[in-house]
Amino acid sequence: MRDINERLNYLIQSVPAKVKQYSEQEFSVRIEDRWSKKEILGHLCDSATNNHHRFIKIQFEKQPFVIVPYDQNNWVLIQDYQNMPLDEIITLWTVLNRHILRIISKIPEEKLGYVCDIGDNKSMTFFELVQDYLRHLEHHLKQIFGTSEL
């Protein structure tokens, strides 16, 4: 968990500065008729919101904890990240991830093995879910900033 905490903390410190290197217009351009960089960043806020709840509930609800998916496209559309000021989106992203870092840094070791039902007769441990959150975050940050080192 220490590596995950350190990596998430690094991203929380570095991503806002990288975002400030771009204009609002650059972040608003749609990528291959899909989401814009603003919308990808908004999606990462939605991911943080959903995982924040999961990371708390897993620790005290019945095992295996059932992961309920959410309609990512509609979440992005309804919240209108495309027309939201970029500085508000990055502030939201930063605050949400600081809070997630606080939560995951307090997870008792014995709870990391708790089982999560991810659907389709598949499961993962709580630890693997936290790892997957970071992997998902980094995947989308690479979409936003390219393959340069984050």
Side-chain angles (χ1 to χ4, degrees), residues 6-144:
E6 287 175 3
R7 181 66 177 159
L8 184 54
N9 188 52
Y10 170 78
L11 292 172
I12 291 166
Q13 301 302 316
S14 63
V15 167
K18 286 189 80 72
V19 168
K20 289 179 181 174
Q21 296 173 1
Y22 294 84
S23 70
E24 185 92 22
Q25 185 177 5
E26 289 173 299
F27 251 69
S28 297
V29 174
R30 297 226 188 258
I31 303 169
E32 301 171 9
D33 294 327
R34 295 203 24 101
W35 289 339
S36 67
K37 291 178 181 186
K38 284 173 75 173
E39 289 170 316
I40 294 170
L41 194 56
H43 164 66
L44 290 175
C45 292
D46 297 341
S47 173
T49 300
N50 278 274
N51 281 288
H52 156 252
H53 289 269
R54 291 171 181 162
F55 294 167
I56 292 171
K57 289 179 177 182
I58 290 166
Q59 296 187 60
F60 64 85
E61 290 190 5
K62 185 179 97 175
Q63 297 290 301
F65 180 79
V66 177
I67 301 291
V68 178
Y70 65 101
D71 186 334
Q72 301 171 8
N73 289 319
N74 276 325
W75 277 58
V76 168
L77 183 66
I78 288 168
Q79 294 180 84
D80 196 20
Y81 290 117
Q82 184 68 6
N83 294 306
M84 189 173 178
L86 180 56
D87 63 327
E88 288 182 23
I89 300 171
I90 193 60
T91 298
L92 178 61
W93 179 87
T94 303
V95 169
L96 288 168
N97 278 286
R98 272 194 204 126
H99 194 58
I100 284 179
L101 179 59
R102 191 172 298 112
I103 291 166
I104 65 174
S105 68
K106 303 287 185 189
I107 299 170
E109 185 84 24
E110 65 274 9
K111 293 185 178 185
L112 291 172
Y114 283 8
V115 176
C116 305
D117 177 343
I118 60 172
D120 295 328
N121 291 322
K122 295 179 185 171
S123 62
M124 61 176 37
T125 65
F126 187 9
F127 178 71
E128 290 169 329
L129 188 67
V130 173
Q131 284 180 311
D132 189 61
Y133 175 75
L134 183 60
R135 182 206 54 75
H136 176 256
L137 176 61
E138 290 182 319
H139 165 77
H140 284 300
L141 290 174
K142 286 178 183 171
Q143 284 182 311
I144 293 171

